[in-house]
Amino acid sequence: MVMGTERLDEATAELLANVAAEDAKRPDEPSLPFGEWVKKNLFSSIPNAFLTIFFSLLTLFAYRQILNFVFSEERRWEGVRVNLRGLFTFSYPASQYHRIWITLGIVLVLSGMSMGLMKSIGRGFSIKRISMWFFSVGLSLVVGILLREPSVLKDADGLARWSFPDGSPITRSETGLLLIRDDEGVSLLAEGESPLLLRESFGSAMSDRGWWWIIAVFALGIGSALWFGFGDMKRRTTFIPAIPLTFGFLGLFISSVWWYQWGHYGRDDAGILISEPDRLVASTTRIPWTILWFVLVLAYVAGRALVRTERAGLTRVLIGFSALLTPFVTYFVILRDPDLDWAHVWSTDIPMALAFMVGGGLIMWILTNPAIGERGRLIATALMGIAVFNWVAAFFGWYAMLQKARISFLLLALAALAAHNFAGDARQRLRSVWGWMGAMVIVHYLATMINTAETVAAPDQFAGGFVVTIYIAVFTMIFSFPLGVILALGRTSRMPLFRVMSTIYIEVVRGIPFITILFFFAVFVEFFLPEGMDLAALASAGIAFTLFSAAYLAENIRGGLQAVRQGQYEASDALGLTTVQRTGFIILPQALRVSIPPLVGAVIATFKETSLLSIVGLTDFLRVANSNIPGQTEFLGVKREGLLFICLIYWIGSYSMSKYSQRLEKQLGVGER
Amino acid sequence: MTNADATIAVNSELAARDDMIISDGVDKWYGDFQALKGVTATIKEKEVVVVLGPSGSGKSTWIRCINRLEQHQNGRIIVDGVELTNDTRNIEKIRSEVGMVFQSFNLFPHLTVRDNITLAPLWVRKKPRGEAEQLAADLLERVGIPEQADKFPGQLSGGQQQRVAIARALAMEPRIMLFDEPTSALDPEMIKEVLDVMKELARSGMTMMVVTHEMGFAREVADRIIFMESGEIVEVGTPEHFFTNPTEDRTKLFLSQIL
C-alpha cells in the first residue's frame, strides 16, 4: 500500500522486459495456410460445419437488419445531432459552457499524466494485429454495402414512391390520400392488398454507395500495405505502443472537425433549430476539442518525462488524491458558481480551519511519539469523548458548536485514536502532521464551498444528461468503496456487535429491489434529516446508490478476504503488527487484488444502473433520449435514434472500464505467489 | 501493576534469571480433544531445544501457544519474564520478543523481499526507514541471499523463501526464535541451505525452540531434545542420551521407526 508500489512497478517493468526478450527468442509457431485454418477451426466435422453456416447466416441477417435500421430513410438522425449538447449536459447554460471544458480539461490532465506515469505501458499492438483491424473494417464495409437494401425511390417532392401489388405505379392525389392508377382513372387498393415501396435497382444502389466503396478499398489497401510491407513474420510482430497509437487515431478524428463537414446542428439562443449539413462543426466545439486533445497529449508527455525521476512516486500520489477530489471540486466549485459570504469566510471559516490545522497537527505530533505509550491512548479516548459529547449536546440543544467544527473534532479524535499505529521517527511523525493538515485544508475548503448559495441555475436542473450519469457513477464509486470495505471487515470481524450490524445491513439491503430503495430515498429521506436540512434530489439519489452498491461491494470484498490464507494473519501476528496495521498492510491489499474482477463488475453495473435515475424524476442520459427529444416539436416521436445512440455511449464506457480492469489485473498479478 | 512489576513478581516466584520460556502445566483442548496435557518445561537463555515426536503429538500446538497463535486453557506460560494472559499488552510485548518461522513460510506475497523484512521494524519497532533497510540488507547477507531484495516471494525458490522468512523474524531482533517444522515443505536439496542458516543462528547464541523431523540437525545442534507424544512430554535429554540410550519405551519405538 504505502510502501513498495514504486518497486513493484520496477519489478513489473523488468519482468515484462524479460517476457519480451523470451518472446523474441522463441521460434515462430508455424502458421497454417488459410484453407487449412478454415478446415481445422470451422469445418472440422459435419455438426461444426452446420454450426458455422448457421451462425454465419444469423450474423449476416442481424448485420443487415441493423444497417437497414440505421440507414433507413425514416431515421431522423438530426434529432440526435441537434440535441448532442442536450444529451450530454441537458440545460446547462451556453454562456457558462467554458466550465464544462475546464472540467474536461482537468480530467484529461489527470488521466494523461497517470497514463504517462505508468512504468510499464505494455507491449502495444503488433503490425499484424493493426493490419488485421484494417482488413476487418474493410471487409465489414464491403459486406455491409452489399447487404443493405437499396434505397427507396422518391418523387420530385421528396415523397416515397409506391406501386400496386401488380407493379403498376401509384400516383397520389392532391390530398395524398387517394391512390390513383393512371390509365384507368381512380381506384383503390382491393381488400387485403398492400402497396409496395419502390426501391432503386441493385446496380444503381451499388453505384450510389461510391463513397463507402472508396473507404472500404482504402481500409483494405492500408491493411494489405501493412501486411505485405512488413513481409516476414518477425517484422509483422513489431509492436507499436498502444497509447501513442490511440492518441494518433483520436487526433486524426478530432482534426477532421477542421476539414470534414460534419455539419452544424443545434439551437440558437431563441431556441430555433439550426440544421446546416454542409458546414464545419461550430467553432465553439471545434476549438475546445482541439485544445483538449493537445492538453491530453501534453499531460501524457509530462507524465513520461517524470516517470524516471525521483518525483514520480509523489506525483502519482498527488494525482490519485486529485482524482478523488475532482468530482467534488468540479461539482461544487467549477460547474456551480459559489457565492461566498466573504465576511463569514474571514471571520469564521479561515480561523477555524487554521485552529484545527495547528492544534490538530500538534496533537498528532505528540501522539505519534513512540514513547508516549499509555498516556497517548488516554488523550485519544478523552478527545473522542468530547467529540461525541459535542454531537449529543447539539442534539439536545445544550450548546451547539458549528457543524463544521463538530465534524472536524470527530475527525481529529479518530485520527488520534489511530495515531499509535503510525508512530515512528521524526520523519514519520511529520508525515502524519502534514497528512492531518492536508486533510483539514481539503475538508474545510470543500465544506465552505458547498455551504454557499449558487449563481448558476437551480440546484438539480443545472446539469443533466450524461453529466448526471457520470456524477452519480463516480460519487457512488468513491463513497461506496470505503463503506464496502468497512462492511466486509465488519462482517468478518471477531467483534460480535460489528459482525451482526454489518450482516444485518448487507442482508437487508441485498434483499430489497434497488428501485424500491430509490423511491424510498426520494420520499422518505427527509424524515432522517435534522429539521431545516434539505437534500437535493440528486444528492439523495447518490446516497441511495452508495448505500445499495456498498452492500454488494462488501460481499465481493468479503470473498477476497476469505481468499487470504490463515498463514498471513499468523505471520502478521507473530511479527507483532497491530490489528489496524495487519489489516491495512497485509490483508486488505491481498484481498482487494483478488476482488478486482468482481469490483469492476460492480462499478460497471452501477454505471449502467444510473439509468434508473430517470424514473425518480432526474434528467439523466436515458431520460433525455427517451422523453426530452421525442417531446420536441421538430422531433415528435424520434426515440429510436436517441436510444441507439445512448446504447453506444453506455457500451463504450462499460467496455473501456472492463478493458482497464483486465490490464490492472495483469499488472498487479505479476510477482504474486 | 505495570509490566516491570509483573516481571519481578514472576521472577521471584518461579523463575531463575536465565529462564527464557517457562511452560507450567499447559493444557489445551480442541473441543473434546485434549491436544496438550500438562506440558511442563523450562528453556534457558541461549539454549537450543529440539522438539521431536510423531505427527499429532502436540508439538506444533505447544510452540504456537508460546506466542499466542493458539490460546492455552490451563497452566502458565512465561516468556522472558512476562506471563501470557489475556492482556493485549503482554501479548504484544511477547510477540515482539519472539520470532517465529512457519512450515509454509507465510511471506507476504504482495511485498518485495525487502519490504517483507522492513515492515515490522518500521511499524512495530518504529525504526527510521534508512536504519530498517540497512538492517534488511545485513540480514539478507547473513542468510546468504543479498541479491534478492527487490524480488517478490513468488519469484524465489522454497529454500530462499524460508531464508527470507528467517530474516524477517530476525529483523525484530527477537530474544527467542521459534521454528515450526521449517523444512517440512521443502524439496530435499533445499533443506540443507535452511538448516545451515539455523545452525549459524544457534552458534551465535540465539535461544531457539525447533519443531522438526530432521534428526541430523537435532543430533548436531540441539542442547536438549524434548520428545512428545499424545500431548505429553515423554522424555527430555541431551542428544547423546536421546539417540543412544533412551529410557522410555515410546521413545525407543519412535526412534526405531524413524532411524
Side-chain angles (χ1 to χ4, degrees), chain B residues 12-27:
Chain B
S12 57
E13 180 191 331
L14 197 106
R17 194 149 291 265
D18 58 349
D19 286 348
M20 287 299 270
I21 303 174
I22 298 167
S23 168
D24 181 24
V26 171
D27 289 333

PDB file of all heavy atoms in Angstrom, chain B residues 12-27:
ATOM      1  N   SER B  12      10.673 -13.713  40.876  1.00  0.00           N
ATOM      2  CA  SER B  12      10.976 -14.128  42.234  1.00  0.00           C
ATOM      3  C   SER B  12      10.248 -15.412  42.592  1.00  0.00           C
ATOM      4  O   SER B  12      10.731 -16.224  43.356  1.00  0.00           O
ATOM      5  CB  SER B  12      10.575 -13.011  43.209  1.00  0.00           C
ATOM      6  OG  SER B  12       9.207 -12.743  43.006  1.00  0.00           O
ATOM      7  N   GLU B  13       9.096 -15.567  41.991  1.00  0.00           N
ATOM      8  CA  GLU B  13       8.246 -16.675  42.404  1.00  0.00           C
ATOM      9  C   GLU B  13       8.708 -17.987  41.795  1.00  0.00           C
ATOM     10  O   GLU B  13       8.726 -19.017  42.450  1.00  0.00           O
ATOM     11  CB  GLU B  13       6.812 -16.353  41.948  1.00  0.00           C
ATOM     12  CG  GLU B  13       5.791 -17.391  42.291  1.00  0.00           C
ATOM     13  CD  GLU B  13       4.496 -17.081  41.565  1.00  0.00           C
ATOM     14  OE1 GLU B  13       4.229 -15.870  41.302  1.00  0.00           O
ATOM     15  OE2 GLU B  13       3.769 -18.017  41.249  1.00  0.00           O
ATOM     16  N   LEU B  14       9.050 -17.943  40.497  1.00  0.00           N
ATOM     17  CA  LEU B  14       9.118 -19.198  39.773  1.00  0.00           C
ATOM     18  C   LEU B  14      10.402 -19.338  38.994  1.00  0.00           C
ATOM     19  O   LEU B  14      10.868 -20.447  38.742  1.00  0.00           O
ATOM     20  CB  LEU B  14       7.918 -19.225  38.810  1.00  0.00           C
ATOM     21  CG  LEU B  14       7.515 -20.547  38.216  1.00  0.00           C
ATOM     22  CD1 LEU B  14       6.234 -20.985  38.911  1.00  0.00           C
ATOM     23  CD2 LEU B  14       7.238 -20.359  36.750  1.00  0.00           C
ATOM     24  N   ALA B  15      10.970 -18.217  38.584  1.00  0.00           N
ATOM     25  CA  ALA B  15      11.956 -18.317  37.529  1.00  0.00           C
ATOM     26  C   ALA B  15      13.350 -17.979  37.998  1.00  0.00           C
ATOM     27  O   ALA B  15      13.553 -17.106  38.828  1.00  0.00           O
ATOM     28  CB  ALA B  15      11.582 -17.359  36.411  1.00  0.00           C
ATOM     29  N   ALA B  16      14.306 -18.705  37.428  1.00  0.00           N
ATOM     30  CA  ALA B  16      15.694 -18.310  37.580  1.00  0.00           C
ATOM     31  C   ALA B  16      15.968 -17.192  36.583  1.00  0.00           C
ATOM     32  O   ALA B  16      15.207 -16.979  35.656  1.00  0.00           O
ATOM     33  CB  ALA B  16      16.605 -19.497  37.313  1.00  0.00           C
ATOM     34  N   ARG B  17      17.067 -16.460  36.769  1.00  0.00           N
ATOM     35  CA  ARG B  17      17.338 -15.292  35.966  1.00  0.00           C
ATOM     36  C   ARG B  17      17.470 -15.635  34.477  1.00  0.00           C
ATOM     37  O   ARG B  17      17.083 -14.847  33.622  1.00  0.00           O
ATOM     38  CB  ARG B  17      18.612 -14.613  36.469  1.00  0.00           C
ATOM     39  CG  ARG B  17      18.827 -13.225  35.943  1.00  0.00           C
ATOM     40  CD  ARG B  17      19.564 -12.381  36.932  1.00  0.00           C
ATOM     41  NE  ARG B  17      18.751 -12.080  38.101  1.00  0.00           N
ATOM     42  CZ  ARG B  17      18.036 -10.967  38.227  1.00  0.00           C
ATOM     43  NH1 ARG B  17      18.026 -10.091  37.261  1.00  0.00           N
ATOM     44  NH2 ARG B  17      17.333 -10.732  39.296  1.00  0.00           N
ATOM     45  N   ASP B  18      17.992 -16.802  34.146  1.00  0.00           N
ATOM     46  CA  ASP B  18      18.229 -17.091  32.742  1.00  0.00           C
ATOM     47  C   ASP B  18      17.156 -18.001  32.137  1.00  0.00           C
ATOM     48  O   ASP B  18      17.369 -18.595  31.105  1.00  0.00           O
ATOM     49  CB  ASP B  18      19.625 -17.699  32.542  1.00  0.00           C
ATOM     50  CG  ASP B  18      19.791 -18.970  33.356  1.00  0.00           C
ATOM     51  OD1 ASP B  18      18.905 -19.218  34.213  1.00  0.00           O
ATOM     52  OD2 ASP B  18      20.765 -19.693  33.131  1.00  0.00           O
ATOM     53  N   ASP B  19      16.000 -18.117  32.784  1.00  0.00           N
ATOM     54  CA  ASP B  19      14.900 -18.861  32.170  1.00  0.00           C
ATOM     55  C   ASP B  19      14.220 -18.008  31.118  1.00  0.00           C
ATOM     56  O   ASP B  19      13.709 -16.926  31.423  1.00  0.00           O
ATOM     57  CB  ASP B  19      13.850 -19.236  33.232  1.00  0.00           C
ATOM     58  CG  ASP B  19      14.349 -20.363  34.105  1.00  0.00           C
ATOM     59  OD1 ASP B  19      15.361 -20.977  33.737  1.00  0.00           O
ATOM     60  OD2 ASP B  19      13.716 -20.609  35.146  1.00  0.00           O
ATOM     61  N   MET B  20      14.214 -18.464  29.843  1.00  0.00           N
ATOM     62  CA  MET B  20      13.594 -17.669  28.801  1.00  0.00           C
ATOM     63  C   MET B  20      12.136 -18.044  28.596  1.00  0.00           C
ATOM     64  O   MET B  20      11.278 -17.201  28.423  1.00  0.00           O
ATOM     65  CB  MET B  20      14.344 -17.844  27.470  1.00  0.00           C
ATOM     66  CG  MET B  20      15.676 -17.150  27.444  1.00  0.00           C
ATOM     67  SD  MET B  20      15.509 -15.379  27.670  1.00  0.00           S
ATOM     68  CE  MET B  20      15.345 -14.869  25.999  1.00  0.00           C
ATOM     69  N   ILE B  21      11.866 -19.352  28.566  1.00  0.00           N
ATOM     70  CA  ILE B  21      10.477 -19.799  28.395  1.00  0.00           C
ATOM     71  C   ILE B  21      10.154 -20.767  29.516  1.00  0.00           C
ATOM     72  O   ILE B  21      10.897 -21.717  29.754  1.00  0.00           O
ATOM     73  CB  ILE B  21      10.274 -20.520  27.053  1.00  0.00           C
ATOM     74  CG1 ILE B  21      10.685 -19.629  25.885  1.00  0.00           C
ATOM     75  CG2 ILE B  21       8.829 -20.978  26.886  1.00  0.00           C
ATOM     76  CD1 ILE B  21      10.652 -20.321  24.543  1.00  0.00           C
ATOM     77  N   ILE B  22       9.061 -20.484  30.213  1.00  0.00           N
ATOM     78  CA  ILE B  22       8.598 -21.424  31.224  1.00  0.00           C
ATOM     79  C   ILE B  22       7.199 -21.854  30.840  1.00  0.00           C
ATOM     80  O   ILE B  22       6.317 -21.029  30.622  1.00  0.00           O
ATOM     81  CB  ILE B  22       8.563 -20.760  32.612  1.00  0.00           C
ATOM     82  CG1 ILE B  22       9.974 -20.334  33.015  1.00  0.00           C
ATOM     83  CG2 ILE B  22       7.982 -21.726  33.638  1.00  0.00           C
ATOM     84  CD1 ILE B  22       9.994 -19.407  34.187  1.00  0.00           C
ATOM     85  N   SER B  23       7.053 -23.167  30.690  1.00  0.00           N
ATOM     86  CA  SER B  23       5.723 -23.699  30.396  1.00  0.00           C
ATOM     87  C   SER B  23       5.376 -24.569  31.576  1.00  0.00           C
ATOM     88  O   SER B  23       6.081 -25.518  31.880  1.00  0.00           O
ATOM     89  CB  SER B  23       5.794 -24.518  29.093  1.00  0.00           C
ATOM     90  OG  SER B  23       4.615 -25.260  28.934  1.00  0.00           O
ATOM     91  N   ASP B  24       4.280 -24.209  32.277  1.00  0.00           N
ATOM     92  CA  ASP B  24       4.000 -24.875  33.539  1.00  0.00           C
ATOM     93  C   ASP B  24       2.601 -25.478  33.496  1.00  0.00           C
ATOM     94  O   ASP B  24       1.607 -24.757  33.582  1.00  0.00           O
ATOM     95  CB  ASP B  24       4.131 -23.842  34.673  1.00  0.00           C
ATOM     96  CG  ASP B  24       3.867 -24.471  36.023  1.00  0.00           C
ATOM     97  OD1 ASP B  24       4.049 -25.704  36.139  1.00  0.00           O
ATOM     98  OD2 ASP B  24       3.486 -23.729  36.945  1.00  0.00           O
ATOM     99  N   GLY B  25       2.527 -26.776  33.303  1.00  0.00           N
ATOM    100  CA  GLY B  25       1.245 -27.483  33.307  1.00  0.00           C
ATOM    101  C   GLY B  25       0.261 -26.977  32.270  1.00  0.00           C
ATOM    102  O   GLY B  25      -0.906 -26.738  32.571  1.00  0.00           O
ATOM    103  N   VAL B  26       0.727 -26.818  31.018  1.00  0.00           N
ATOM    104  CA  VAL B  26      -0.133 -26.214  29.995  1.00  0.00           C
ATOM    105  C   VAL B  26      -1.083 -27.248  29.415  1.00  0.00           C
ATOM    106  O   VAL B  26      -0.669 -28.293  28.926  1.00  0.00           O
ATOM    107  CB  VAL B  26       0.722 -25.585  28.881  1.00  0.00           C
ATOM    108  CG1 VAL B  26      -0.144 -25.160  27.717  1.00  0.00           C
ATOM    109  CG2 VAL B  26       1.508 -24.403  29.432  1.00  0.00           C
ATOM    110  N   ASP B  27      -2.388 -26.936  29.481  1.00  0.00           N
ATOM    111  CA  ASP B  27      -3.413 -27.781  28.872  1.00  0.00           C
ATOM    112  C   ASP B  27      -4.049 -27.038  27.713  1.00  0.00           C
ATOM    113  O   ASP B  27      -4.209 -25.827  27.752  1.00  0.00           O
ATOM    114  CB  ASP B  27      -4.537 -28.078  29.888  1.00  0.00           C
ATOM    115  CG  ASP B  27      -4.068 -29.029  30.966  1.00  0.00           C
ATOM    116  OD1 ASP B  27      -3.154 -29.816  30.683  1.00  0.00           O
ATOM    117  OD2 ASP B  27      -4.617 -28.956  32.082  1.00  0.00           O
TER     118      ASP B  27
END
